[in-house]
Amino acid sequence: MTDLLHLHAERRSARPLLRGSREIQGNVLAAFNKDHQRFRFVRFTDAKPARTWLAAMLGHVDVTADIEDFNEAFSLGRAVLGEDPAGLKATWTNVSLTPEGIVALSINPDATRQDLRDHFPRTAEQAADANGDTGDSAPAHWLFGRTDQHVHAVVTVASDAEDRLDSTTRILDLLDTLLGVTVVHEERAGTRRDQRGHEHFGYKDGISQPGVRYFHDEDPDQPGHRRGHPGQVLVNPGEFVFGYPTESARPSAAAWLTDGSIQVIRRLTQDVDGWNRAVEAHAERTGTTPVTMGARLIGRHKDGRPLAAAKHDNDFDYADDPDGDTTPCAAHIRKTNPRSFTYRTPRQHRILRRGTPFGQGENGEDTRDGERGLVFVAHCTSLEDQFEFVQRAWAGNPDFAAGGRGAPTGTDPVIGGHGGATVDGARLTFARFVRTTGALYALVPSVSTLRLLAAGRELPR
Ligand code: HEM
């Protein structure tokens, strides 16, 4: 026990710089990872009450240090007790603002608009065609993110317990009513109870994330990699939070953007039966089993094991598999992170994913007949070079070979939209089993910036 406490104290004193940030909101670098989450998409009526609303929200916002302190206490508790410390529960909140919302709150809207222009060149609605949000994924079908809905802020609440989430939501309801804030859409989401950590097609999610330099510990035996997480390459923090070194040149950001992060939210409805039927049909065509075919489309088995030979579930690349024999070049995880490159570093075009499934009953039961999907959330500092790049230049681009020898792969079978993927020599035509039913781009501002906006003070440039 004394040894454990000693180790704990030692680790606290050697923390990486960003681990203790009280400026960066909690879900950006540290990740909420709670079983129950709620996303509230809201619209302000008037700047004055909206600033009061923001001031009240500041009392709820949790920062990186809060999340990390809790997680550390939890790990310590688990080490001491030999099981999860049951009494240790938390409810966390983050607030993001759309560019329209920031301009509405700013006392200097023209300057603010100008500061945002390089980082938010267009809304998710304006980027719809490029992102493949067409047909039944077009903005006309979105529950949030259309221009006419004027979403100004998104409140994310995450908790270990549904009843705690409910009580926080009741307080938020009250604040909204008092201050003329309208809820455009509320999404209840959370871990699948029947298959924790798995998305609705049945595959384990949340395995591969970039490591973040100055936030995660570096492995002394393998510089450039995160300690204790083999295969996790450390990426400069400026790729995810404004104001820090990046991996490639970026437009400069106004001072008030420092410690803020761009948040992409996409409500992706999954047609699970359609996907399963297509997997079965393709398996039959190529003479394999549906289990194998499904794994080849994702690049991992349902339990998360990669198809690529690896000692650890994230410690691999595709350098020894240029023809996609082991992991098809069209597989979802290869199209969205080709890992080994000849012309780029594996530290570019990365995103931090914070998605969580939606579409379970009130008590967490799987509503087989109801609508199900993923609230996909990603953080980055360049839409063009990160989220949109992955979505468009890789996943949706039939000619992107994903580290293969150059033969066209077709589009990503999960998010590439209508199209075809070449898997095991066969051309598989994919209908669209993931439909976009809401999308927006927002900024998760630093706590200082939220304070300035709430106080109606000028933003430093
Ligand atoms: C309903 C839609 C989606 C489903 C069902 C899905 C499913 C999965 C699964 C099962 C994994 C493997 C687990 C892991 O490596 O962490 C994964 C990884 C990944 N997904 Fe998705 N995903 C979806 C949407 C997206 C979108 C919209 C993007 C970005 C444009 C994306 C980007 C990624 C990335 C970057 C990885 C990690 C790849 C790696 O580093 O090896 N996914 N996804």
Side-chain angles (χ1 to χ4, degrees):
M1 175 79 132
T2 323
D3 282 353
L4 261 174
L5 292 175
H6 195 74
L7 185 72
H8 179 64
E10 219 169 63
R11 294 206 71 182
R12 279 178 80 93
S13 60
R15 278 171 180 168
L17 183 76
L18 295 176
R19 152 72 184 72
S21 171
R22 303 209 63 83
E23 282 290 347
I24 303 168
Q25 294 195 50
N27 203 19
V28 177
L29 297 181
F32 283 172
N33 276 343
K34 293 288 181 204
D35 281 353
H36 310 275
Q37 292 204 37
R38 224 157 278 178
F39 299 86
R40 290 164 70 91
F41 300 84
V42 305
R43 177 172 64 232
F44 308 143
T45 37
D46 209 18
K48 238 177 154 186
R51 291 194 191 110
T52 311
W53 176 88
L54 192 56
M57 291 307 302
L58 268 161
H60 291 273
V61 166
D62 295 280
V63 294
T64 307
D66 298 330
I67 314 306
E68 286 294 303
D69 285 348
F70 176 93
N71 290 343
E72 227 169 72
F74 197 89
S75 306
L76 186 68
R78 188 190 277 158
V80 171
L81 301 170
E83 58 182 343
D84 284 355
L88 213 50
K89 297 204 185 314
T91 303
W92 290 324
T93 304
N94 269 185
V95 177
S96 56
L97 299 167
T98 60
E100 191 183 346
I102 301 173
V103 170
L105 291 165
S106 169
I107 54 159
N108 198 349
D110 288 340
T112 304
R113 217 174 273 124
Q114 204 180 324
D115 291 345
L116 286 165
R117 195 167 302 143
D118 281 346
H119 311 288
F120 292 90
R122 48 192 181 169
T123 62
E125 185 181 42
Q126 288 161 342
D129 279 356
N131 288 340
D133 293 333
T134 53
D136 56 4
S137 284
H141 304 281
W142 292 0
L143 293 168
F144 59 84
R146 292 196 322 261
T147 312
D148 61 354
Q149 291 168 317
H150 300 289
V151 171
H152 291 134
V154 185
V155 182
T156 306
V157 190
S159 181
D160 293 299
E162 185 84 34
D163 55 342
R164 289 187 179 214
L165 202 57
D166 284 338
S167 37
T168 305
T169 311
R170 275 197 295 275
I171 300 172
L172 299 182
D173 279 340
L174 203 67
L175 276 176
D176 290 353
T177 314
L178 276 174
L179 296 162
V181 170
T182 313
V183 179
V184 174
H185 179 69
E186 182 180 88
E187 193 68 55
R188 286 164 178 258
T191 318
R192 286 181 61 182
R193 300 267 178 89
D194 56 341
Q195 269 195 305
R196 281 177 72 90
H198 293 238
E199 49 73 42
H200 283 294
F201 291 150
Y203 296 85
K204 192 158 180 235
D205 202 359
I207 302 166
S208 172
Q209 297 278 12
V212 182
R213 196 176 281 284
Y214 312 127
F215 174 68
H216 292 126
D217 293 313
E218 185 162 13
D219 186 342
D221 299 327
Q222 211 191 356
H225 288 75
R226 182 177 170 192
R227 194 211 305 245
H229 293 257
Q232 203 167 340
V233 176
L234 289 177
V235 173
N236 276 333
E239 294 286 307
F240 312 109
V241 183
F242 288 111
Y244 299 90
T246 54
E247 294 291 345
S248 49
R250 291 281 167 76
S252 62
W256 64 270
L257 286 164
T258 297
D259 287 321
S261 179
I262 293 177
Q263 182 190 40
V264 175
I265 309 187
R266 290 167 75 73
R267 185 180 191 273
L268 301 173
T269 298
Q270 293 173 255
D271 173 1
V272 177
D273 290 342
W275 165 269
N276 286 338
R277 278 197 300 272
V279 169
E280 271 166 38
H282 292 328
E284 205 168 297
R285 265 193 61 201
T286 53
T288 183
T289 62
V291 170
T292 303
M293 175 51 69
R296 294 188 73 67
L297 296 178
I298 299 290
R300 291 184 183 274
H301 298 277
K302 285 195 166 170
D303 62 8
R305 274 175 303 126
L307 298 186
K311 280 204 205 84
H312 182 272
D313 64 7
N314 202 31
D315 195 7
F316 59 90
D317 64 23
Y318 307 112
D320 61 351
D321 185 23
D323 294 320
D325 296 330
T326 312
T327 308
C329 298
H332 177 62
I333 66 161
R334 189 161 175 170
K335 281 289 258 188
T336 53
N337 181 13
R339 292 177 185 241
S340 42
F341 280 97
T342 47
Y343 62 102
R344 282 179 204 271
T345 98
R347 295 187 304 275
Q348 289 176 313
H349 313 301
R350 303 303 313 277
I351 48 177
L352 287 170
R353 289 175 302 133
R354 299 285 177 251
T356 186
F358 72 87
Q360 308 181 93
E362 288 288 296
N363 301 312
E365 76 275 14
D366 193 0
T367 53
R368 289 260 155 224
D369 302 328
E371 189 191 2
R372 297 182 265 171
L374 181 74
V375 181
F376 171 87
V377 178
H379 289 286
C380 60
T381 50
S382 168
L383 287 163
E384 205 180 357
D385 198 42
Q386 293 170 278
F387 165 70
E388 289 185 357
F389 193 94
V390 174
Q391 176 70 45
R392 195 180 335 136
W394 284 350
N397 176 5
D399 297 325
F400 175 58
R405 267 190 227 273
T409 60
T411 50
D412 180 317
V414 181
I415 56 165
H418 295 276
T422 304
V423 177
D424 301 337
R427 185 85 187 153
L428 307 179
T429 310
F430 263 83
R432 190 171 191 147
F433 302 112
V434 170
R435 206 158 48 85
T436 309
T437 43
L440 63 72
Y441 297 152
L443 176 79
V444 188
S446 68
V447 169
S448 290
T449 293
L450 287 179
R451 275 200 199 109
L452 291 173
L453 286 167
R457 292 186 36 206
E458 194 147 345
L459 299 173
R461 305 184 69 193

